[in-house]
């Protein structure tokens, strides 16, 4: 297996993060990085779909499924192995996505956005009414084990989740780096650009969107599971639509240009929020709103475009004319 | 031997408007068929129905003797009936090379791989060969948005040919292309068609272009085929002169000019 | 039998509220093709403005119910028009013509800004404006106690619906708007000032949103976040009915209102579930919604 530059950089970054985190960084920073990286995995799921031209305003659904699977696996099934709990979350999300995907893949644009939002709100509604699951308060995640070691709070837990999250993030980014250049990954971009043509190349845009949707759900659920392990708590807000809105925000902040972008954006987002909430508790969302408008107007390809703008593809001439006639909107039966 | 494409009593109406009326078409292997008719005569509707994009109101469609009515466009493409579009249907934000490589991979398998890279050496080499054949090699790494209209049409047609179709339907290959480019474009396309031994049906407004390349003409008027036969016979047909060609000749001097240009270039 | 009747009454009341909440959203989408994520914020601004005005009017402990109604509606008009105009002139007019999904994101940004803007203006403590609600008292219909305020709400919803319909179908301005809905480019070619129509539509939409909020204020405590909750319900109504259709919004509101009322009475754990469940079901069967038009595809 030959590694490309991105993959080498990923491995290098992961090692640096692990060493720095375990030996140098203070606890609060490790925790912040852990949660940011875990959420970035959910954002990767959003970005996977953005590449195919779909904006999910309901990715919190899979984030929540991943999180609740970890919590419920410990609470009701008596499973303590952390890796098994994460796997349960991913499997549950995949099964759910395989069912919902049958419907979701019939929709595009705002219909896709609204339907994804509706499904995550259904889960929210169910969880809020479930007394056994703590209703709106949610519940705490039991202590768990990693490779036989019991993890029960404190610095040890912080470090354990951190290591797990960094490795998971690096692994997912590694996979995505190959995925985006694979036939399916590139065809997703082709679907975004012109679905009719993809169909006339003899491919099924629906099948490819389906595969992408399920894969994105798996990645997002992993992020949800790790967040649950990191914070030791799950609640229905994970599925509330504003949580999904936050993921969309981070995805747009980073852009779809690189597998690193969601991680960078999530870390920037977490750092800024930590300070903004402290100093401007009632203006934090306003800052987000203006930032989002700024991105849409000035950096439509996200923060990452700041890094790549100078290099490579300066377009031969600026003539984005033909996009309008290739977009076919709305619902498809 | 059954014809490559056959339609029987194909009808299509949009509300009160009849876009296709009892279309009976038989096209044999190796034929180069031109379709003429004014805008709204039902030419694109015919292509859309045959390729599964638009369901006919009634009728039957056969390819190589097999019924293909009701199949999705992708299934019909895989069965060997490919098409191009009036407005080139490409992936605008991707490079020309990406466009072709995606088409090449699609032709190889309907189930693309999740992890194997799209850009294999073999596919890139093949794509470069096609780019050269269609004389658009200079745009290899340009995004489609930066490619001129005529070259886009060529890339569109090249992508349709990639799956080695049994038959190719070209919807106005020269529309939107400047008068100077028309002749070159058609020469390039028809050279490729001959090279691959394809059966072709193409819609064209320019009678000089039609006369130059086709062995047979279908004349559409108001959803009906009013004439079908060798070019000389069809173009001499009284109704065709009255309803199709005569109309264009009087109305649009520029098209006539375009026709002369086309022939002088070629 | 009684519970069936209760479902009918509760459902109709809830449907009226849903319709009022969704009407502005569907009008804006119908004409402008903008799915306004910030619609809930206009609802909240209407509620805050109304609650403040009612609080001020009843500050000395007395006041008439009739007058308080006028205040509610007046507050909604002021809030919807002023903030709507500021948003349309200050932001949206520069964004017209962008992708529909990008407009969702832009209005989402607007929602974030308005949410905190409200906190800065109105603070984070709850506002109450119960006076118009209690002043009207209760009636007993077939053994059921029903608040008169809620019955008035039904009347207002019907009035708003009929007025919108009559305006679109029976007036010249309505005809022009329908031309814009049908084909923007053709309308422009016919000499319609599409941008002015957009401004007008947006103001009508935001005022309707604010009106819904103002009329709701007396029956809830007005706190931060009410708009965020409402917007997803409004989406559900509009998606079920068919985006951009007034009659669709009415039928969607009734369907969801009755379903929810049935759930509340017979299976309360499904209260929230049922709304999005019905929405998903309708979309699965009829992707364009009950009254939506299918979009033509062109190649």
């Amino acid at each position: 297996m030959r590694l490309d530059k991105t993959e080498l950089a990923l491995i290098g970054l992961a090692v640096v993060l692990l060493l720095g985190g375990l030996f140098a960084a203070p606890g609060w920073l490790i925790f912040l990085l852990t949660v940011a990286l875990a959420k970035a995995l959910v954002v990767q799921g959003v970005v996977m779909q953005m590449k195919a031209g779909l904006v999910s305003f309901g990715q919190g659904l899979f984030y929540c499924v991943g999180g609740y699977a970890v919590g419920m696996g410990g609470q009701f099934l008596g499973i303590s192995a952390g890796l098994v709990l994460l796997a349960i979350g991913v499997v549950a999300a995949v099964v759910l996505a395989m069912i919902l995907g049958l419907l979701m893949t019939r929709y595009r644009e705002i219909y896709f956005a609204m339907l994804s939002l509706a499904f995550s709100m259904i889960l929210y509604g169910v969880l809020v009414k479930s007394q056994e699951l703590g209703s709106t308060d949610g519940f705490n995640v039991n202590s768990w084990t990693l490779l036989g070691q019991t993890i029960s709070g404190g610095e040890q837990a912080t470090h354990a989740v951190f290591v797990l999250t960094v490795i998971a993030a690096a692994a997912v980014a590694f996979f995505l780096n190959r995925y985006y250049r694979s036939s399916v990954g590139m065809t997703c971009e082709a679907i975004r650009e012109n679905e009719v043509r993809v169909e006339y190349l003899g491919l099924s845009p629906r099948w490819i969107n389906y595969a992408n949707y399920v894969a994105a759900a798996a990645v997002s659920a992993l992020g949800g599971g790790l967040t649950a392990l990191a914070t030791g708590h799950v609640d229905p807000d994970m599925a509330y639509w504003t949580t999904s809105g936050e993921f969309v925000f981070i995805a747009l902040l980073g852009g779809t240009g690189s597998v690193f972008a969601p991680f960078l954006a999530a870390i920037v987002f977490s750092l800024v929020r930590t300070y903004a909430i402290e100093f401007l508790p009632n203006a934090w969302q306003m800052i987000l709103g203006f930032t989002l408008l700024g991105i849409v107007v000035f950096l439509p390809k996200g923060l990452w475009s700041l890094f790549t703008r100078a290099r490579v593809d300066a377009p031969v001439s600026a003539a984005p004319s033909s996009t309008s006639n290739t977009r076919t909107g709305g619902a498809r039966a | 031997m059954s014809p490559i494409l056959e339609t029987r009593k194909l009808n299509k109406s949009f509300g009160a408007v009849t876009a296709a009326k009892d279309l009976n078409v038989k096209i044999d292997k190796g034929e180069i068929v031109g379709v003429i008719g004014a805008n709204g005569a039902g030419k694109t509707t015919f292509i859309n129905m045959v390729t599964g994009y638009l369901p006919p109101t009634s009728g039957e469609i056969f390819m190589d003797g097999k019924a293909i009515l009701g199949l999705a466009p992708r299934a019909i493409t895989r069965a060997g009936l490919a098409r191009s579009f009036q407005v080139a249907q490409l992936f605008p934000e991707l490079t020309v090379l990406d466009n072709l490589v995606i088409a090449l991979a699609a032709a190889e398998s309907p189930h693309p791989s999740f992890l194997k890279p799209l850009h294999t050496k073999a596919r890139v080499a093949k794509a470069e060969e096609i780019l050269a054949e269609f004389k658009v090699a200079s745009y290899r790494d340009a995004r489609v948005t930066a490619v001129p209209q005529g070259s886009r049409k060529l890339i569109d047609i090249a992508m349709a040919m990639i799956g080695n179709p049994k038959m190719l339907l070209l919807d106005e290959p020269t529309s939107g292309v400047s008068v100077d480019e028309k002749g070159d474009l058609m020469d390039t396309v028809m050279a490729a068609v001959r090279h691959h031994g394809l059966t072709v049906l193409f819609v064209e407004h320019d009678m000089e272009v039609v006369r130059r390349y086709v062995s047979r003409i279908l004349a559409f008027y108001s959803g009906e085929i009013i004439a079908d036969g060798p070019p000389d016979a069809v173009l001499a047909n009284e109704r065709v002169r009255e309803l199709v060609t005569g109309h264009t000749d009087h109305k649009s001097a520029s098209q006539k000019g375009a026709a002369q240009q086309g022939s002088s270039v070629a | 039998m009684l519970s069936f009747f209760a479902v009918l009454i509760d459902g109709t009341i809830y449907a009226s509220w849903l319709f009022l909440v969704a009407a502005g959203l569907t009008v804006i989408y119908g004409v402008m093709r903008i799915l306004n994520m910030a619609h809930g914020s206009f609802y909240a601004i209407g509620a805050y403005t109304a609650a403040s005005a009612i609080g001020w009017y009843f500050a000395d402990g007395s006041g008439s119910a009739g007058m308080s109604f006028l205040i509610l509606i007046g507050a909604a008009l002021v809030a919807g028009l002023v903030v709507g105009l500021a948003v349309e002139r200050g932001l949206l007019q520069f964004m017209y013509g962008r992708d529909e999904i990008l407009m969702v994101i832009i209005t989402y940004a607007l929602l974030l800004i308005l949410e905190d803007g409200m906190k800065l203006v109105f603070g984070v403590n709850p506002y109450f404006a119960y006076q118009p609600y209690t002043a009207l008292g209760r009636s007993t219909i077939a053994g059921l106690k029903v608040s008169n305020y809620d019955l008035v709400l039904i009347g207002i919803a019907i009035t708003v619906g009929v007025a919108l319909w009559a305006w679109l179908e029976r007036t010249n301005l309505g005809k022009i708007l329908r031309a814009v809905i049908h084909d923007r480019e053709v309308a422009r070619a016919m000499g319609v000032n599409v941008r002015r129509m957009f401004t007008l539509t947006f103001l009508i939409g935001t005022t309707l949103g604010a009106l819904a909020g103002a009329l709701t204020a007396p029956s809830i405590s007005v706190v931060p976040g009410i708009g965020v909750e409402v917007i997803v319900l409004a989406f559900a109504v509009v998606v079920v009915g068919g985006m951009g259709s007034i009659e669709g919004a009415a039928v969607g509101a009734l369907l969801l209102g009755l379903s929810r009322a049935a759930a509340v009475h017979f299976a309360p754990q499904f209260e929230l579930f049922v709304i999005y469940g019905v929405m998903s079901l309708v979309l699965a069967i009829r992707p364009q919604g009950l009254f939506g038009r299918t979009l033509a595809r062109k190649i």
Side-chain angles (χ1 to χ4, degrees):
Chain A
M1 188 165 79
R2 285 240 310 277
L3 300 178
D4 69 11
K5 266 190 225 156
T6 308
E7 286 157 355
L8 290 172
L10 267 170
I11 295 169
L13 258 176
V15 170
V16 169
L17 261 179
L18 284 176
L19 292 178
L22 294 181
F23 298 109
W28 68 267
L29 184 60
I30 296 178
F31 181 74
L32 187 145
L33 281 176
T34 307
V35 175
L37 290 178
K39 283 197 174 171
L41 286 177
V42 191
V43 175
Q44 294 280 18
V46 175
V47 170
M48 286 168 81
Q49 292 171 84
M50 273 185 184
K51 284 208 165 220
L54 299 170
V55 177
S56 166
F57 258 94
Q59 207 61 14
L61 174 68
F62 300 112
Y63 172 64
C64 185
V65 165
Y68 267 70
V70 164
M72 289 164 72
Q75 200 81 265
F76 299 104
L77 302 177
I79 296 168
S80 62
L83 295 176
V84 176
L85 291 172
L86 289 174
I88 292 174
V90 171
V91 170
V94 164
V95 171
L96 182 63
M98 286 173 86
I99 298 165
L100 296 184
L102 297 173
L103 189 60
M104 292 298 302
T105 49
R106 292 169 60 186
Y107 299 89
R108 303 290 178 271
E109 303 191 357
I110 53 172
Y111 287 86
F112 182 88
M114 290 306 105
L115 198 61
S116 60
L117 185 150
F119 280 133
S120 91
M121 288 303 289
I122 287 180
L123 179 64
Y124 174 80
V126 169
L127 292 177
V128 161
K129 293 282 175 182
S130 303
Q131 297 303 330
E132 318 81 62
L133 295 177
S135 190
T136 50
D137 295 334
F139 60 95
N140 287 336
V141 175
N142 284 354
S143 62
W144 48 287
T145 62
L146 183 58
L147 307 174
Q149 296 260 3
T150 303
I151 312 290
S152 54
E155 191 178 79
Q156 178 210 23
T158 313
H159 280 165
V161 190
F162 177 69
V163 171
L164 215 51
T165 306
V166 171
I167 292 172
V172 166
F174 197 94
F175 158 75
L176 287 178
N177 182 48
R178 301 206 158 199
Y179 177 69
Y180 288 146
R181 283 176 303 155
S182 75
S183 302
V184 170
M186 283 298 289
T187 310
C188 280
E189 295 201 45
I191 291 172
R192 176 195 71 215
E193 293 292 306
N194 190 343
E195 191 167 336
V196 170
R197 172 49 105 177
V198 172
E199 175 86 31
Y200 273 107
L201 289 177
L203 297 173
S204 164
R206 197 173 165 194
W207 186 89
I208 291 161
N209 268 341
Y210 183 77
N212 191 48
Y213 178 78
V214 174
V219 169
S220 294
L222 183 60
L226 289 165
T227 308
L229 290 180
T231 58
H233 183 81
V234 291
D235 63 45
D237 273 350
M238 294 176 90
Y240 199 65
W241 77 270
T242 49
T243 309
S244 301
E246 201 174 285
F247 296 137
V248 172
F249 178 93
I250 300 171
L252 290 167
L253 184 66
T256 58
S258 156
V259 290
F260 294 106
F263 296 120
L264 177 76
I267 292 170
V268 169
F269 180 85
S270 299
L271 282 172
V272 174
R273 182 173 62 180
T274 307
Y275 289 103
I277 283 186
E278 194 165 327
F279 297 113
L280 298 163
N282 291 332
W284 153 241
Q285 292 192 83
M286 192 177 266
I287 297 170
L288 287 187
F290 280 115
T291 311
L292 190 51
L293 285 180
I295 294 169
V296 169
V297 175
F298 300 111
L299 281 180
K301 297 197 165 170
L303 275 185
W304 197 259
S305 63
L306 289 177
F307 295 91
T308 54
R309 191 174 264 183
R311 306 181 295 164
V312 288
D313 50 28
V316 180
S317 81
S321 57
S322 75
T323 42
S324 62
N325 56 42
T326 59
R327 297 262 186 242
T328 49
R332 310 271 165 75
Chain B
M1 203 178 82
S2 51
I4 289 218
L5 179 70
E6 180 177 5
T7 67
R8 289 185 202 149
K9 293 207 155 204
L10 209 54
N11 283 285
K12 178 74 192 178
S13 45
F14 300 98
V17 182
T18 305
K21 195 176 171 199
D22 286 339
L23 299 180
N24 293 304
V25 175
K26 261 188 207 175
I27 290 161
D28 289 314
K29 185 169 167 45
E31 279 194 285
I32 309 283
V33 181
V35 172
I36 60 174
N39 286 329
K43 304 177 306 290
T44 298
T45 301
F46 176 71
I47 290 183
N48 282 350
M49 285 193 291
V50 167
T51 57
Y53 188 76
L54 205 62
T57 314
S58 67
E60 293 173 286
I61 308 170
F62 300 92
M63 206 194 140
D64 259 350
K66 277 176 291 195
I68 57 168
L69 182 66
L71 296 181
R74 60 176 175 278
I76 292 174
T77 305
R78 292 230 164 259
L81 192 57
R83 72 171 289 183
S84 76
F85 301 83
Q86 267 181 52
V87 177
Q89 296 290 315
L90 305 172
F91 309 123
E93 289 294 321
L94 305 183
T95 67
V96 171
L97 182 71
D98 288 343
N99 271 265
L100 286 176
V101 172
I102 288 169
L104 282 163
E108 287 167 26
S109 157
H111 301 294
S113 161
F114 277 88
L115 291 174
K116 284 191 203 134
L118 176 77
H119 291 269
T120 59
K121 271 197 188 122
R123 283 187 198 136
V124 171
K126 181 76 190 153
E128 282 166 345
E129 198 179 293
I130 295 166
L131 289 174
E133 183 179 9
F134 281 83
K135 301 183 177 145
V136 285
S138 59
Y139 298 114
R140 180 184 184 277
D141 296 314
R143 285 188 203 187
V144 170
T145 45
V147 174
Q149 206 47 252
S151 302
R152 283 192 210 180
K153 298 281 284 200
L154 279 169
I155 297 163
D156 185 62
I157 294 167
M159 282 167 78
M161 281 196 204
I162 272 175
N164 262 331
K166 290 180 187 149
M167 181 173 175
L168 188 60
L169 306 167
L170 303 177
D171 195 354
E172 301 198 18
T174 66
S175 77
V177 173
S178 75
V179 172
D180 312 341
E181 289 176 291
K182 266 189 184 182
D184 282 349
L185 184 146
M186 281 310 289
D187 282 347
T188 309
V189 170
M190 294 316 283
V193 162
R194 275 191 289 271
H195 180 235
H196 296 279
L198 298 177
T199 307
V200 175
L201 176 146
F202 72 89
V203 174
E204 180 56 59
H205 284 294
D206 190 325
M207 292 311 142
E208 287 308 313
V209 171
V210 174
R211 201 191 282 274
R212 206 174 129 74
Y213 294 106
V214 305
S215 54
R216 176 180 162 197
I217 291 181
L218 299 176
F220 275 67
Y221 176 75
S222 184
E224 283 183 76
I225 294 176
I226 55 169
D228 175 358
D232 290 336
V234 170
L235 293 176
N237 180 304
E238 216 29 60
R239 286 192 77 200
V240 172
R241 288 173 66 93
E242 184 192 340
L243 299 171
V244 185
T245 52
H247 187 73
T248 17
D249 277 355
H250 292 304
K251 204 173 179 188
S252 149
S254 67
Q255 278 211 337
K256 206 171 170 184
Q260 283 160 358
Q261 274 283 353
S263 55
S264 66
V265 169
Chain C
M1 194 58 212
L2 186 66
S3 63
F4 174 75
F5 192 66
V7 167
L8 203 63
I9 293 279
D10 284 355
T12 312
I13 291 168
Y14 192 63
S16 307
W17 179 76
L18 281 176
F19 177 74
L20 284 172
V21 164
L25 188 69
T26 207
V27 166
I28 289 177
Y29 183 79
V31 177
M32 305 168 78
R33 299 284 134 179
I34 294 174
L35 186 65
N36 183 14
M37 283 280 227
H39 189 68
S41 305
F42 288 97
Y43 167 91
I45 289 169
Y48 269 115
T49 312
S52 307
I54 291 287
W56 166 81
Y57 176 63
F58 284 100
D60 59 357
S62 66
S64 76
M67 189 62 199
S68 67
F69 253 94
L70 290 180
I71 289 173
L72 283 180
I73 291 165
L77 285 175
V78 170
L81 289 176
V82 170
V83 184
L85 197 64
V87 165
E88 202 272 341
R89 290 286 93 191
L91 173 69
L92 286 186
Q93 65 154 326
F94 305 111
M95 305 292 175
Y96 292 150
R98 294 188 186 228
D99 224 34
E100 277 186 32
I101 195 73
L102 207 59
M103 293 308 293
V104 169
I105 287 159
I106 288 165
T107 54
Y108 174 61
L110 182 62
L111 170 146
L112 293 171
I113 293 166
L114 290 178
E115 282 301 302
D116 273 4
M118 277 183 275
K119 282 185 205 157
L120 294 176
V121 173
F122 297 103
V124 292
N125 294 322
Y127 279 55
F128 299 99
Y130 55 86
Q131 292 89 343
Y133 193 87
T134 48
L136 286 183
R138 286 164 167 258
S139 305
T140 308
I141 304 175
L144 275 172
K145 280 209 157 69
V146 184
S147 155
N148 286 335
Y149 186 88
D150 288 339
L151 297 178
V152 172
L153 206 62
I154 298 178
I156 293 177
I158 293 171
T159 312
V160 166
V162 170
L164 273 177
W165 176 84
W167 179 63
L168 272 176
E169 301 289 326
R170 292 278 182 269
T171 66
N172 278 332
L173 196 56
K175 276 194 195 122
I176 295 173
L177 270 185
R178 278 189 293 148
V180 175
I181 293 170
H182 190 72
D183 193 326
R184 207 178 279 180
E185 295 311 315
V186 170
R188 189 172 284 138
M190 287 177 351
V192 175
N193 187 338
V194 172
R195 282 186 162 255
R196 192 182 301 156
M197 288 300 126
F198 275 18
T199 312
L200 177 71
T201 306
F202 192 73
L203 289 181
I204 289 168
T206 56
T207 305
L208 282 170
L211 179 69
L215 291 171
T216 312
S219 48
I220 59 169
S221 57
V222 182
V223 290
I226 52 171
V228 175
E229 278 169 37
V230 151
I231 183 66
V232 285
L233 291 174
F235 281 152
V237 172
V238 168
V239 168
V240 166
M243 312 245 293
S245 157
I246 302 281
E247 56 269 46
V251 173
L254 265 178
L255 185 62
L256 292 179
L258 292 172
S259 311
R260 176 182 173 271
V264 167
H265 280 270
F266 302 118
Q269 66 275 27
F270 291 127
E271 182 193 337
L272 277 171
F273 173 87
V274 79
I275 287 181
Y276 303 106
V278 169
M279 169 181 161
S280 309
L281 195 68
V282 168
L283 277 185
I285 298 163
R286 240 185 107 75
Q288 71 276 29
L290 295 174
F291 284 73
R293 284 183 305 166
T294 40
L295 295 169
R297 296 206 279 191
K298 284 181 185 171
I299 46 171

